Amino acid sequence: MPTMTIVSCKIMQDEIVWILENDPAIDEIIVVDNENIGEFVEKLDRTNIIYTTLPLGDISPVCEAENGSKYTVLIYLMELGLHRSPKELKKKVYETVEVLAPYSSGILLFYGLCGNVLGNIEKDFAASSLSCPVHILKDNKDRIVDDCIGATVGGVDNYLKILKSVSDAGTYLFTPMYSKGWRELLDINSRLHGDPDKALQMMKKTHEMIGYKRVAKINTGLTYTENFDEAIQEFAEIFDFEILEFNNGNQKIFEDCYQQLKAQIKA
């Protein structure tokens, strides 16, 4: 059976939910059970999406036993903390692709360049012995997106426009999931010997020194992550930031890349 595997940073889980909700051709959804899926499966439940969770070790027999005409989407979510070490991020993504390739007809990475460590991943695996294609998120000019924000706003050109518009002062760009996951991404609870309050004060001083003054809300049109406004407001209050708002978010890159690989593996 054709099996599309999506390997994704946890921060792009809303875009995965949107794809699953809007593709009636999917016959089966399998979510690899790990420590990163809690919030994701809650969203699937709220959206009434039928799925199965399985440990990684149980995937192979299931995939091999299914009818050849069934179209399956396999989801593997990875932790946010990998972004703190680009070298470790690359290592873990490559290892995960190698593990999941035998069960996949094609693998789509919901990642961007991420510190320029994933720019060659398609070429690297095309030259390997993997039996399935590996694709990463690209814009309509075939350029790998920079990161999750770049993917959400439609690609390199739109991302550069936004960055240029806020270039007069340091500005955080928050999607709904970013607004909920920034503490985990920045490892706030573990820094300064596990003192989150001191870590936040140190961040505030650092912001003042380097000129960070704002947080920008990137509206994606998706509502799977709750309390987006409240999360943005909390972040702004912690660091005395101004709040900006952009309505540039959309699902075009995710949809286009998904449909391209889907067509390839079902051909």
Side-chain angles (χ1 to χ4, degrees):
M1 66 173 178
T3 298
M4 161 100 67
T5 294
I6 298 177
V7 176
S8 177
C9 172
K10 190 167 69 170
I11 213 162
M12 287 192 272
Q13 62 183 253
D14 286 1
E15 287 73 20
I16 300 176
V17 177
W18 182 84
I19 281 176
L20 299 178
E21 185 180 21
N22 287 280
D23 186 359
I26 298 173
D27 297 303
E28 180 183 41
I29 297 166
I30 299 174
V31 181
V32 177
D33 192 2
N34 62 28
E35 67 275 11
N36 304 308
I37 69 168
E39 189 175 8
F40 177 65
V41 295
E42 288 178 3
K43 292 172 182 177
L44 295 180
D45 291 337
R46 290 201 303 268
T47 316
N48 296 316
I49 294 174
I50 298 173
Y51 64 94
T52 301
T53 58
L54 288 174
L56 185 58
D58 292 344
I59 289 174
S60 180
V62 171
C63 290
E64 291 173 356
E66 293 290 355
N67 187 296
S69 63
K70 181 177 285 189
Y71 173 49
T72 298
V73 177
L74 176 68
I75 309 297
Y76 189 98
L77 293 185
M78 302 187 71
E79 62 267 33
L80 293 182
L82 292 173
H83 288 76
R84 294 190 295 272
S85 171
K87 183 178 179 181
E88 183 67 10
L89 170 63
K90 178 179 179 179
K91 178 175 179 290
K92 287 294 183 65
V93 170
Y94 274 61
E95 288 176 350
T96 301
V97 169
E98 290 173 348
V99 168
L100 294 175
Y103 320 131
S104 310
S105 306
I107 297 176
L108 178 57
L109 302 172
F110 270 33
Y111 278 96
L113 293 172
C114 297
N116 292 319
V117 297
L118 296 178
N120 293 320
I121 193 165
E122 289 188 353
K123 293 179 181 178
D124 290 342
F125 282 111
S128 73
S129 59
L130 287 190
S131 58
C132 71
V134 177
H135 291 181
I136 194 169
L137 295 175
K138 295 181 180 179
D139 65 16
N140 60 4
K141 295 182 179 178
D142 204 37
R143 297 171 297 191
I144 299 175
V145 299
D146 292 276
D147 51 29
C148 60
I149 303 297
T152 300
V153 301
V156 176
D157 293 337
N158 288 339
Y159 196 15
L160 289 176
K161 287 179 183 178
I162 291 175
L163 292 175
K164 185 176 180 180
S165 74
V166 297
S167 61
D168 59 311
T171 304
Y172 282 92
L173 303 176
F174 276 10
T175 60
M177 270 303 299
Y178 209 115
S179 75
K180 301 295 286 292
W182 64 271
R183 284 182 171 84
E184 181 181 352
L185 186 62
L186 299 174
D187 198 26
I188 294 299
N189 291 333
S190 298
R191 293 170 61 183
L192 294 180
H193 306 289
D195 191 328
D197 291 335
K198 285 186 178 180
L200 290 174
Q201 288 302 315
M202 181 63 70
M203 276 188 65
K204 188 171 183 179
K205 291 179 181 179
T206 302
H207 290 153
E208 292 170 354
M209 288 188 293
I210 63 179
Y212 266 73
K213 298 181 180 180
R214 295 182 296 227
V215 57
K217 177 185 177 185
I218 307 293
N219 290 312
T220 65
L222 303 180
T223 58
Y224 305 116
T225 296
E226 299 175 332
N227 303 316
F228 187 19
D229 289 335
E230 290 85 349
I232 290 284
Q233 186 64 44
E234 179 191 27
F235 185 83
E237 290 176 356
I238 289 173
F239 299 111
D240 298 323
F241 279 176
E242 174 191 0
I243 298 175
L244 301 180
E245 191 163 350
F246 292 99
N247 293 314
N248 304 68
N250 60 77
Q251 285 69 60
K252 180 170 176 51
I253 282 180
F254 303 98
E255 170 73 0
D256 288 351
C257 293
Y258 170 78
Q259 292 294 347
Q260 288 165 11
L261 182 55
K262 178 183 173 183
Q264 182 178 352
I265 67 175
K266 296 187 77 174

